[in-house]
Amino acid sequence: MHQRDEIGFFIKLINDCIEKKANQTLKQFDLTLSQARILFYLHDHKETTTSQKDLEDFFEVTHPTIIGILNRLERKEFIRSETNSKDKRVKNIFLADKGGKVFCSMDHFKKSTEQKMLQDLTVDQIKELQSLLKIVYKNIQTF
Amino acid sequence: MHQRDEIGFFIKLINDCIEKKANQTLKQFDLTLSQARILFYLHDHKETTTSQKDLEDFFEVTHPTIIGILNRLERKEFIRSETNSKDKRVKNIFLADKGGKVFCSMDHFKKSTEQKMLQDLTVDQIKELQSLLKIVYKNIQTF
DNA sequence: ACATAATATGTAGCATGCTACAATTATACC
DNA sequence: GGTATAATTGTAGCATGCTACATATTATGT
């Protein structure tokens, strides 16, 4: 088995490539892929309040990672944050006006990207890919 | 479509997870996953000389990325390097004794990891996954 | 009520990826 | 042969991931 044929290696190639291309496109919005994903999350969860911890759990990254991304987003005024008055340990995160404004054009970019990525695949193949990746994911998590 | 169901997002979760677990295991060898992958490459290409550029092309990363990894590997004496006398622009990279020594135990770890990752999948399913990922990869590259 | 444990966030330092710019050497062309 | 171009490597600075340690607040148990 050659290194480049291994699933883990291949997944890394794909992930690096997605991130690079996305970051090049998102540069026009002064955003990175990880930052944009946070904005999408906040947009999708407008009705409920979101804490830093919620973002850690959803994106499955450690808290120093989330803190870094949020600090950069807040410095650029895409989001704002405030301490929860009920539980002062908790910091709530909100989409700021600027974050809402870039949303439409970003959403369009996101949909066309996902579409290009999955072109030449049938609906069944996409479902199959999702289900296979889910199994792989479950396997690695239980190491 | 929810964010976590998107292929790109899912691939990132899997990649982060693989890298984290692998780095925890490889710590005993004083190596990271990216560093170990370089050693595997050098081991698999013992018969031919390898330049920095070869590694960039194989791993599809930029040259500053490769330089960083190689510098850390050389500082730890897993590899050594020398300027090509025929073409002084080129820097050749060799596996050092120390790099060869950790190889057996790493190889064992690598095989058992790949096995655990793909458990519960049939040979046909693995082939199907590889072929689907290959299509996705081709699609992103031609953006 | 008070000590202890758990939870949420913060900071420091590192590895790996990137872009942008620079330096050196080899190649190509007139 | 000399100049322009290409190829290879190097450096600086940043974003995002991590671990390890620290701090503040809340929850728990006696």
Side-chain angles (χ1 to χ4, degrees):
Chain A
M1 171 92 100
H2 223 268
Q3 212 170 352
R4 282 190 65 117
D5 296 325
E6 291 158 18
I7 304 284
F9 190 95
F10 214 46
I11 284 180
K12 176 182 184 295
L13 286 186
I14 294 175
N15 188 57
D16 282 357
C17 193
I18 290 175
E19 199 175 334
K20 202 197 291 190
K21 304 265 181 178
N23 284 338
Q24 284 163 357
T25 308
L26 287 168
K27 201 171 186 178
Q28 61 187 299
F29 305 116
D30 191 26
L31 285 168
T32 66
L33 180 56
S34 295
Q35 290 167 12
R37 281 179 171 144
I38 302 272
L39 298 189
F40 275 101
Y41 178 95
L42 292 173
H43 183 87
D44 292 347
H45 295 76
K46 265 181 185 161
E47 63 289 349
T48 60
T49 57
T50 299
S51 70
Q52 243 178 231
K53 181 70 174 135
D54 292 333
L55 294 169
E56 282 169 49
D57 292 342
F58 184 81
F59 291 100
E60 296 184 29
V61 291
T62 59
H63 72 271
T65 297
I66 281 291
I67 289 176
I69 298 173
L70 293 179
N71 283 344
R72 287 179 284 270
L73 279 172
E74 191 159 20
R75 197 191 308 142
K76 292 188 284 188
E77 298 188 340
F78 285 104
I79 61 166
R80 58 190 181 75
S81 65
E82 59 190 36
T83 305
N84 188 324
S85 54
K86 304 261 174 65
D87 184 341
K88 284 172 193 157
R89 289 173 301 185
V90 175
K91 195 169 167 184
N92 288 328
I93 311 296
F94 305 95
L95 204 58
D97 291 347
K98 191 176 165 191
K101 273 173 192 157
V102 291
F103 204 80
C104 276
S105 15
M106 277 217 311
D107 197 47
H108 173 266
F109 151 70
K110 179 188 172 185
K111 286 196 176 97
S112 82
T113 301
E114 189 87 1
Q115 199 189 326
K116 276 182 215 154
M117 196 167 94
L118 299 175
Q119 72 189 341
D120 308 328
L121 290 181
T122 65
V123 176
D124 282 347
Q125 281 180 312
I126 294 171
K127 278 188 185 147
E128 177 72 4
L129 178 54
Q130 281 175 326
S131 121
L132 290 172
L133 287 175
K134 204 157 279 181
I135 295 171
V136 171
Y137 186 45
K138 201 175 65 82
N139 286 342
I140 343 165
Q141 281 186 310
T142 55
F143 263 19
Chain B
M1 172 94 97
H2 225 267
Q3 212 170 356
R4 282 190 65 119
D5 296 324
E6 291 159 19
I7 304 283
F9 190 95
F10 213 46
I11 284 179
K12 176 181 185 295
L13 287 187
I14 293 175
N15 189 56
D16 283 355
C17 193
I18 289 175
E19 199 175 335
K20 200 198 293 191
K21 303 266 181 178
N23 284 339
Q24 284 163 357
T25 308
L26 287 167
K27 201 171 186 180
Q28 62 188 298
F29 305 115
D30 191 26
L31 286 168
T32 66
L33 181 55
S34 294
Q35 290 167 12
R37 281 179 171 144
I38 303 272
L39 298 190
F40 274 100
Y41 178 96
L42 292 173
H43 183 87
D44 291 347
H45 295 76
K46 265 180 185 163
E47 64 289 348
T48 61
T49 58
T50 299
S51 69
Q52 245 178 230
K53 181 71 173 133
D54 292 332
L55 294 169
E56 283 170 48
D57 293 342
F58 184 82
F59 291 101
E60 295 184 28
V61 291
T62 60
H63 72 272
T65 298
I66 281 291
I67 288 176
I69 298 173
L70 293 180
N71 283 345
R72 287 178 284 271
L73 278 173
E74 191 159 19
R75 197 190 311 142
K76 291 189 285 187
E77 299 188 339
F78 285 104
I79 61 166
R80 59 191 179 75
S81 65
E82 59 190 38
T83 306
N84 188 325
S85 53
K86 304 260 175 64
D87 185 341
K88 283 172 193 160
R89 289 173 303 184
V90 175
K91 195 170 167 184
N92 288 327
I93 311 295
F94 306 94
L95 203 59
D97 292 347
K98 190 177 165 190
K101 272 173 193 157
V102 292
F103 203 81
C104 277
S105 13
M106 277 216 311
D107 196 49
H108 173 266
F109 150 71
K110 179 188 172 186
K111 286 199 175 95
S112 81
T113 301
E114 190 87 358
Q115 198 188 329
K116 276 181 214 155
M117 196 167 95
L118 299 176
Q119 71 189 340
D120 307 328
L121 291 180
T122 65
V123 175
D124 282 347
Q125 281 179 312
I126 294 171
K127 278 187 186 148
E128 176 73 4
L129 178 55
Q130 280 175 326
S131 121
L132 291 171
L133 287 176
K134 204 157 280 181
I135 295 171
V136 171
Y137 186 46
K138 202 175 67 83
N139 287 341
I140 344 166
Q141 279 186 310
T142 55
F143 263 17

